[in-house]
Amino acid sequence: MRNNSEETLQCDAVKNANLPDFSQVEQLHRTTAPSESAYNLIHGHCVVIATISWQIAHHCNMLLESKTKCSSSILERSKLAQSCIKKLIGDNYSDLPPIKGGRAPKQPIDEYAAFIGGMLHDIGTYFVLKKDGSANFDGELSFDGPNYILHGLRGYNYLLKCGFSEEAAQFARNHTGVGLTREQVALQNLPLPVDDYKPQTVEQEIVMVADKYNSKSIPPRFLTVEEYRRKAARFGEENACRWLQLVDQYGEPDIAALADFFNARIFSYFF
């Protein structure tokens, strides 16, 4: 299922060279989180999305590998991503359920960029908390629903303010829905500057896709392809169709197995 009107995004090696080290991003989460419970929820979600993003990128590269050999630099970026994931979830990351389906990309994908983008994408959600889990709110944690849509832009501006590159900040800005357009912003009267908030690289698009499989509800919840399709359809059938096109492109995770894996390792705090 392919929509020819949708541009096929590519890996941009120059932009990806400006991405931060894993340790910088980990420190950013720690210094930004207003409470331990906020950190556990938002950082935990980012760990899940970063891992799924890496899985998708790696899976697509393996599909491409059958046709053309990946360069040594791409292989090194894959090893770097895997070493970071091991630090987060341990050596048993190899037990992650595989991605099924998908299509080979036109060129190799930077797996580290997809991973670190997943770790960065929701940094702005620390700034849309109604109750931040601190003692001031008796430990209660909740989001400011009407302003939640601002989390991408707030994260983008925050990352730039903290000295991160434009390329890094775009992972926060460009992951909402299945690619938020200026027309949708205007039509839905969203509290955002009227502009496009769509992924600019294939790695940004992968993070956007991965993000749809896990919500920051309390407790966190995993969504199947069909569950998110129904959610996307609330904003128009075009959104639902676009979601299915993205799944066709990048493959489908085993959501039940992922939930078992991560609920035991990352989200046990909430259960």
Side-chain angles (χ1 to χ4, degrees):
M1 184 185 303
R2 188 191 299 265
N3 183 350
N4 292 327
S5 67
E6 290 292 339
E7 179 184 1
T8 300
L9 297 175
Q10 302 292 323
C11 171
D12 190 321
V14 174
K15 289 183 177 180
N16 290 342
N18 294 325
L19 296 176
D21 293 336
F22 171 62
S23 60
Q24 292 176 279
V25 178
E26 283 290 270
Q27 182 62 27
L28 183 71
H29 273 278
R30 275 294 179 192
T31 57
T32 306
S35 67
E36 191 67 15
S37 57
Y39 173 84
N40 286 335
L41 179 64
I42 294 170
H43 177 264
H45 169 76
C46 287
V47 169
V48 170
I49 301 317
T51 304
I52 298 174
S53 296
W54 167 74
Q55 279 193 286
I56 292 172
H58 185 71
H59 174 71
C60 289
N61 278 343
M62 291 301 98
L63 294 176
L64 183 63
E65 181 84 2
S66 65
K67 299 180 180 180
T68 181
K69 193 74 174 176
C70 289
S71 68
S72 59
S73 62
I74 287 292
L75 295 175
E76 285 302 313
R77 299 286 275 184
S78 177
K79 291 178 182 177
L80 178 58
Q82 290 176 60
S83 70
C84 295
I85 292 170
K86 284 174 67 175
K87 293 175 183 177
L88 289 170
I89 60 177
D91 290 335
N92 57 3
Y93 78 93
S94 58
D95 295 335
L96 285 162
I99 305 287
K100 295 181 180 179
R103 290 184 272 111
K106 291 187 176 180
Q107 66 180 48
I109 297 168
D110 186 329
E111 296 176 28
Y112 178 75
F115 165 78
I116 208 67
M119 291 301 300
L120 287 167
H121 82 286
D122 256 358
I123 199 72
T125 55
Y126 289 116
F127 304 110
V128 290
L129 290 166
K130 184 176 182 179
K131 297 181 178 180
D132 66 11
S134 67
N136 292 335
F137 294 98
D138 296 323
E140 190 174 346
L141 187 66
S142 64
F143 288 104
D144 178 3
N147 289 313
Y148 184 80
I149 190 70
L150 294 169
H151 78 277
L153 190 57
R154 288 182 179 177
Y156 169 80
N157 289 328
Y158 178 64
L159 288 169
L160 293 178
K161 181 180 177 181
C162 290
F164 289 84
S165 67
E166 172 72 20
E167 291 75 21
Q170 282 188 6
F171 280 100
R173 185 186 186 277
N174 299 332
H175 74 271
T176 300
V178 291
L180 191 59
T181 66
R182 62 174 58 245
E183 291 79 15
Q184 290 170 321
V185 172
L187 185 63
Q188 297 175 37
N189 197 29
L190 298 176
L192 289 166
V194 176
D195 203 349
D196 286 322
Y197 299 87
K198 298 170 65 177
Q200 301 300 303
T201 66
V202 65
E203 292 84 7
Q204 288 178 33
E205 187 166 78
I206 285 172
V207 170
M208 179 189 75
V209 170
D211 185 47
K212 308 291 100 72
Y213 292 116
N214 181 251
S215 76
K216 293 181 295 298
S217 56
I218 302 174
R221 177 170 170 259
F222 285 82
L223 284 78
T224 65
V225 167
E226 174 57 21
E227 285 172 328
Y228 189 77
R229 187 202 65 78
R230 292 197 297 267
K231 185 175 180 180
R234 298 205 304 262
F235 301 97
E237 195 57 33
E238 183 179 351
N239 272 2
C241 290
R242 177 60 183 148
W243 166 243
L244 294 178
Q245 290 160 2
L246 289 165
V247 173
D248 178 61
Q249 173 67 51
Y250 294 115
E252 182 175 354
D254 184 335
I255 295 302
L258 276 177
D260 288 342
F261 183 93
F262 283 113
N263 286 343
R265 292 166 175 81
I266 303 298
F267 294 132
S268 58
Y269 175 88
F270 294 98
F271 293 93

